[in-house]
Amino acid sequence: MSTAHKNLSVYKTNGLKDMSSKRIAVVTAEWNEEVTFALRDGAIETLLKNGVKEENIISATVPGSYELSYGSQVFAQRDDIDAVIAIGCVIQGETKHNDYINNAVAQGLTDVSLKYNKPVVFGVLTPNTYQQALDRAGGKHGNKGDEAGITALKMLSISDF
Ligand SMILES: Nc1c(NC[C@H](O)[C@H](O)[C@H](O)CO)[nH]c(=O)[nH]c1=O
Ligand SMILES: CC(=O)[C@@H](O)COP(=O)(O)O
């Protein structure tokens, strides 16, 4: 189902465990910051709404989405971090650069998650246009950051991570 037929900010919370002790890092790319900071804010708001304490949310930035893999690893390797949310927006340009970034960050985040055995959420938009990005950062399709936030909590609820 494409995002056009699903609001990214509508989610179910049944089955969520107590999140009051969970510590979550949110790593945000600065490229397209009007979009990524809106995604970040949506993710953090969703964490707070669902029981994560403000003092247990660690927020950091990296220059671009390509750096999200390393930026996420910096936190994933820490014993006091239970999950990482990676936030970015890679907009298609004239060349294939966006494809290389998207592929690298998708694989990189997966590698970090499996290496450190904890959720690392792919909260990266890969739109064709800036408008598509805005539509998914609090626009008509909701906020991808909300989806990333609840995804982290659902992953922490499926077993005793
Ligand atoms: N064009 C976009 C980039 N490009 C920058 C890369 O992510 C990276 O920082 C650079 O290649 C140096 O390693 N990043 C985005 O997040 N979004 C873009 O649209
Ligand atoms: C995804 C990007 O890095 C993008 O801004 C590059 O644009 P272009 O492919 O036109 O150089």
Side-chain angles (χ1 to χ4, degrees):
M1 177 189 292
S2 70
T3 301
H5 302 288
K6 169 184 167 40
N7 188 297
L8 294 165
S9 297
V10 175
Y11 53 81
K12 297 179 181 178
T13 60
N14 50 305
L16 285 186
K17 294 181 179 176
D18 175 17
M19 293 294 155
S20 60
S21 66
K22 299 300 184 182
R23 291 174 51 81
I24 298 175
V26 182
V27 184
T28 304
E30 295 170 339
W31 258 79
N32 302 311
E33 66 177 39
E34 176 189 3
V35 173
T36 63
F37 288 5
L39 298 175
R40 176 199 61 192
D41 294 349
I44 291 174
E45 180 182 319
T46 300
L47 297 177
L48 294 170
K49 278 181 180 177
N50 291 281
V52 180
K53 294 180 179 178
E54 187 170 3
E55 59 266 29
N56 288 340
I57 299 172
I58 299 88
S59 183
T61 60
V62 293
S65 292
Y66 184 82
E67 285 74 37
L68 286 171
S69 298
Y70 179 73
S72 296
Q73 179 171 279
V74 167
F75 291 97
Q77 69 187 357
R78 287 172 44 172
D79 292 335
D80 66 334
I81 295 292
D82 297 294
V84 181
I85 298 171
I87 298 287
C89 177
V90 183
I91 300 176
Q92 183 174 325
E94 295 178 349
T95 71
K96 294 180 180 178
H97 195 214
N98 62 292
D99 291 333
Y100 287 94
I101 296 170
N102 291 334
N103 292 333
V105 72
Q107 187 60 57
L109 295 178
T110 298
D111 292 346
V112 171
S113 179
L114 298 177
K115 179 175 181 179
Y116 293 101
N117 194 34
K118 60 184 69 171
V120 177
V121 177
F122 184 77
V124 181
L125 291 175
T126 58
N128 298 316
T129 66
Y130 197 73
Q131 185 58 53
Q132 285 180 351
L134 294 175
D135 291 344
R136 291 156 175 79
K140 65 181 180 181
H141 295 314
N143 189 322
K144 185 81 172 175
D146 297 357
E147 179 196 59
I150 200 65
T151 297
L153 303 187
K154 288 182 175 182
M155 289 305 291
L156 289 172
S157 299
I158 61 173
S159 69
D160 293 330
F161 279 111

